């Protein structure tokens, strides 16, 4: 029964596309997969080999659900809502119209929501994401979402211009709309901003694929603008507020990867439309999975608070304050996110240079610290002739000099400090070891427990970066010992 209902929805969507001028190549197969009682999964596969440059679909911009095309455009304009917030209202409003909505058949094939962490309960967030970079971000974002709903969406129910059905504008519906936008929206052009693009959002998109880009041409100016993949991190050029949303775990669909497609806008006689162009050769029947365990954009953060706690375990509170103050005098700082300051550790385990400088200053002998402090107080900068010239911020601007100076910062004591920070950061994940997490992941079923699967994937990815940070510290300590022995030999030779 459910399978027949899903097939009807898919056929209805195909008829809807034809009616609204969306042309899909005969080389594509839109197939339905029934994964549950009322679950509908649609994938797009190649029926034959496709070559780079092949146009596989054209989509009129007027068929895209945007703030400008929605029947709620006047309401959104009146409320002065922009960006993803405005698009969320447009999506909720069209859903509230039911069969009266221009996008009814399209909305029928969308899931009610995408299971991104933003929609998880607080106990789930605390138990599954504890220790990970997402834990704090998701909780903060969840709080901001409730605030946005209360301040911007709830007042719409009192609008004199529109009679809104309260059932479709609850905070739960707002979260559901945000999850769909995060996973499926695209940047269309300057006029429309971000929007839901029927058919395009059925194609799978691969994280960190550098060859994914959408070229948009404004129908009024003919000027080109580039944007990245229209997932939740699309640039909101001209689309209003750039409202951040927490990183999501995308649900898996099989079919083309976004890395195989280009979405471009063709301007001429109205209506303007989008073209989906193959930018990589695709073999017939190809099925490409989404999840990338080794995302090259993965990083780990170490909060400044962790560094402060490490300092307190070795030195007095006054010692740490003075050293931190001097570091800031030299115009150094970490990264900032809302009310926290942190340092990034790259995928290969290399710490941000600002952290290395801070640790170096924290560990300076008192006499050397006073000498550096006096030099800064007298001239306001570290002179090129100074013993501390490697600490100058300019020393890290040149690629060649930067690598040399980084190695000079890696004294044995700095390397030991990095190892201690790695231990402190790993303690956030609780008593289970990395090996236990890997065993749990191998035993976990993605289909039946996707939340646990993805949270373990994230934990393992982050903990492997911590392992690489330890290796970086150990390697640096080896370099430091070799350099120290060389210096001693030179002193002996001079004697």
């Amino acid at each position: 029964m459910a399978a027949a209902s899903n097939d009807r929805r898919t056929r209805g969507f195909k008829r809807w596309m034809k009616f609204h001028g969306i042309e899909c190549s005969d080389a594509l197969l839109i197939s339905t997969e029934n994964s549950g009682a009322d679950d509908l999964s649609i994938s797009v596969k190649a029926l034959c080999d496709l070559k780079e440059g092949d146009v596989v679909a054209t989509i009129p911009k007027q068929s895209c659900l945007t703030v400008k095309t929605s029947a709620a455009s006047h309401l959104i304009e009146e409320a002065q809502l922009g960006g993803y917030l405005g698009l969320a209202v447009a999506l909720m409003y069209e859903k509230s119209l039911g069969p009266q909505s221009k996008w009814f058949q399209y909305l029928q094939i969308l899931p009610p929501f995408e299971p991104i962490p933003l929609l998880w309960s607080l106990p789930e967030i605390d138990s599954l994401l504890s220790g990970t970079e997402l834990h704090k971000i998701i909780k903060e974002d969840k709080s901001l979402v409730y605030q946005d709903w209360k301040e911007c969406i709830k007042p719409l129910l009192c609008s004199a211009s529109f009679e809104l059905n309260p059932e479709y504008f609850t905070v739960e519906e707002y979260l559901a709309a945000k999850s769909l936008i995060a996973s499926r929206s695209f940047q269309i052009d300057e006029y429309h901003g971000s929007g839901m693009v029927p058919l395009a959002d059925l194609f799978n998109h691969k994280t960190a694929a550098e060859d994914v880009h959408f070229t948009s041409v404004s129908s009024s100016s003919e000027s080109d603008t580039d944007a990245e993949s229209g997932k939740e991190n699309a640039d909101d050029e001209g689309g209003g507020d750039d409202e951040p949303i927490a990183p999501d775990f995308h649900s898996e669909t099989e079919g083309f990867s976004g890395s195989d497609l280009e979405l471009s806008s063709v301007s001429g006689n109205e209506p303007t439309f989008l073209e989906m162009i193959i930018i990589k050769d695709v073999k017939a029947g190809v099925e490409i999975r989404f999840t990338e365990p080794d995302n090259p954009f993965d990083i780990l953060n170490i909060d400044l608070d962790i560094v402060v706690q490490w300092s307190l375990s070795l030195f007095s509170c006054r010692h740490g304050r003075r050293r931190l103050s001097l570091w800031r005098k030299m115009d150094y700082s970490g990264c900032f996110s809302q009310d926290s300051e942190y340092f990034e550790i790259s995928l290969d385990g290399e710490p941000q240079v600002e952290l290395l400088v801070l640790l170096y200053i924290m560990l300076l002998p008192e006499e050397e610290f006073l000498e550096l402090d006096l030099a800064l107080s007298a001239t306001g900068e570290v002179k090129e002739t100074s013993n501390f010239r490697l600490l100058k911020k300019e020393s890290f601007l040149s690629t060649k000099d930067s690598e040399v100076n980084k190695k000079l910062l890696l004294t044995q004591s700095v390397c030991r400090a990095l190892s201690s920070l790695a231990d402190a950061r790993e303690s956030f994940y609780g008593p289970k070891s990395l090996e236990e997490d890997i065993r749990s992941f191998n035993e976990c079923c993605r289909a039946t427990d996707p939340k646990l699967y993805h949270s373990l994937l994230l934990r393992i990815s982050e903990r492997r970066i911590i392992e690489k940070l330890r290796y970086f510290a150990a390697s640096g300590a080896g370099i430091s010992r070799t350099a120290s022995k060389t210096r001693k030999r030179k002193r002996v030779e001079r004697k």
Side-chain angles (χ1 to χ4, degrees):
M1 199 77 169
S5 171
N6 289 338
D7 287 340
R8 276 198 303 273
R9 282 188 281 172
T10 306
R11 289 196 301 271
F13 172 62
K14 290 177 181 177
R15 288 194 299 270
W16 179 87
M17 285 197 297
K18 189 173 181 180
F19 180 80
H20 288 282
I22 298 176
E23 297 179 4
C24 183
S25 169
D26 292 338
L28 302 183
L29 172 66
I30 301 176
S31 60
T32 306
E33 298 170 7
N34 298 297
S35 52
D38 197 36
D39 292 337
L40 176 62
S41 175
I42 297 180
S43 63
V44 182
K45 301 173 184 176
L47 288 173
C48 62
D49 290 355
L50 297 170
K51 300 296 182 185
E52 179 182 346
D54 287 350
V55 177
V56 292
T58 57
I59 305 167
K61 288 186 181 179
Q62 286 302 311
S63 69
C64 301
L65 175 48
T66 70
V67 167
K68 297 294 185 182
T69 59
S70 169
S73 59
H74 294 306
L75 171 67
I76 296 167
E77 221 172 90
E78 188 180 283
Q80 298 182 321
L81 303 179
Y84 292 119
L85 187 56
L87 183 56
V89 172
L91 182 55
M92 288 188 289
Y93 184 76
E94 295 299 334
K95 285 175 114 177
S96 76
L97 294 179
Q100 303 304 313
S101 170
K102 172 181 172 180
W103 289 274
F104 178 68
Q105 285 80 6
Y106 164 61
L107 296 174
Q108 288 290 293
I109 68 161
L110 294 182
F113 58 86
E114 294 286 359
I116 63 174
L118 189 65
L119 272 67
W120 297 2
S121 68
L122 287 175
E124 286 175 328
I125 292 170
D126 285 335
S127 65
L128 295 174
L129 297 180
S130 180
T132 68
E133 294 301 328
L134 282 185
H135 187 210
K136 185 179 178 183
I137 294 171
I138 293 292
K139 293 185 83 168
E140 288 174 349
D141 278 1
K142 207 169 178 72
S143 174
L144 290 172
V145 165
Y146 278 87
Q147 188 179 328
D148 283 345
W149 175 81
K150 186 177 179 182
E151 294 178 1
C152 302
I153 294 176
K154 192 177 179 184
L156 297 179
L157 297 173
C158 304
S159 170
S161 308
F162 286 76
E163 290 185 13
L164 303 180
N165 184 339
E167 290 180 19
Y168 290 89
F169 291 87
T170 63
V171 70
E172 290 77 18
E173 288 295 324
Y174 177 48
L175 278 164
K178 281 185 76 73
S179 74
L180 291 172
I181 290 166
S183 302
R184 295 171 177 266
S185 66
F186 295 88
Q187 179 72 16
I188 297 171
D189 61 21
E190 188 175 347
Y191 175 75
H192 288 91
S194 293
M196 308 295 286
V197 182
L199 180 62
D201 59 6
L202 301 183
F203 288 77
N204 195 14
H205 288 258
K206 194 174 184 181
T207 303
E210 295 178 0
D211 49 1
V212 177
H213 66 279
F214 305 136
T215 305
S216 184
V217 182
S218 169
S219 58
S220 58
S221 67
E222 297 287 333
S223 62
D224 291 339
T225 57
D226 287 334
E228 290 182 354
S229 171
K231 297 286 177 180
E232 114 247 14
N233 60 344
D235 292 335
D236 193 12
E237 298 177 6
D241 299 331
D242 188 11
E243 183 182 1
I245 192 168
D248 61 335
F249 295 130
H250 297 278
S251 58
E252 181 185 352
T253 58
E254 297 189 352
F256 290 111
S257 162
S259 60
D260 302 325
L261 297 167
E262 180 182 74
L263 187 62
S264 68
S265 177
V266 180
S267 216
N269 296 327
E270 290 297 332
T272 308
F273 58 91
L274 303 167
E275 283 185 343
M276 299 190 70
I277 304 169
I278 298 293
I279 60 172
K280 279 185 178 178
D281 291 353
V282 178
K283 294 292 183 183
V286 70
E287 293 187 350
I288 304 173
R289 295 182 182 273
F290 178 84
T291 301
E292 289 183 293
D294 297 313
N295 181 355
F297 291 150
D298 279 347
I299 56 170
L300 182 83
N301 297 334
I302 290 183
D303 285 352
L304 177 61
D305 288 345
I306 297 177
V307 181
V308 170
Q309 289 304 313
W310 161 81
S311 171
L312 287 172
S313 71
L314 298 175
F315 310 109
S316 68
C317 182
R318 180 172 179 271
H319 175 104
R321 279 202 311 269
R322 290 168 67 216
R323 306 297 174 109
L324 183 61
S325 175
L326 183 70
W327 178 72
R328 294 204 187 280
K329 266 190 212 176
M330 298 177 71
D331 200 27
Y332 282 109
S333 67
C335 303
F336 290 91
S337 175
Q338 295 180 14
D339 59 346
S340 66
E341 188 173 0
Y342 60 90
F343 303 97
E344 292 182 352
I345 311 298
S346 69
L347 182 65
D348 59 6
E350 184 171 340
Q352 198 173 327
V353 70
E354 286 82 356
L355 174 58
L356 295 178
V357 173
L358 177 57
L359 294 176
Y360 190 92
I361 292 173
M362 284 281 189
L363 293 161
L364 275 176
E366 185 67 14
E367 308 79 42
E368 293 183 32
F369 169 74
L370 291 173
E371 182 186 341
L372 176 59
D373 191 23
L374 186 62
L376 273 175
S377 300
T379 63
E381 63 177 358
V382 178
K383 291 187 176 179
E384 196 61 38
T385 54
S386 163
N387 294 329
F388 305 104
R389 59 184 177 278
L390 75 109
L391 299 178
K392 285 169 64 74
K393 206 168 184 181
E394 294 78 8
S395 302
F396 302 100
L397 298 179
S398 161
T399 306
K400 183 182 175 183
D401 294 341
S402 175
E403 291 307 311
V404 173
N405 288 330
K406 277 182 192 174
K407 287 178 181 177
L408 292 173
L409 289 174
L410 291 173
T411 63
Q412 290 186 49
S413 55
V414 166
C415 291
R416 283 195 297 270
L418 287 173
S419 294
S420 297
L421 294 178
D423 292 342
R425 180 62 183 82
E426 185 148 38
S427 69
F428 288 13
Y429 299 104
K432 283 190 176 181
S433 67
L434 173 59
E435 289 70 27
E436 287 175 295
D437 276 346
I438 292 172
R439 277 199 299 273
S440 298
F441 176 75
N442 291 333
E443 294 166 3
C444 179
C445 177
R446 180 176 188 168
T448 57
D449 202 347
K451 292 177 182 178
L452 178 60
Y453 177 92
H454 285 296
S455 63
L456 284 169
L457 188 64
L458 180 64
R459 282 168 63 92
I460 292 167
S461 173
E462 291 185 359
R463 296 183 82 169
R464 281 179 172 155
I465 295 176
I466 293 175
E467 274 192 336
K468 291 174 185 174
L469 173 60
R470 288 197 182 96
Y471 179 77
F472 177 90
S475 301
I479 292 170
S480 177
R481 280 193 294 270
T482 302
S484 177
K485 287 176 184 176
T486 303
R487 284 193 294 270
K488 284 179 182 176
R489 279 200 301 271
K490 285 182 177 177
R491 281 198 295 269
V492 170
E493 287 167 5
R494 286 194 197 102
K495 290 177 182 177

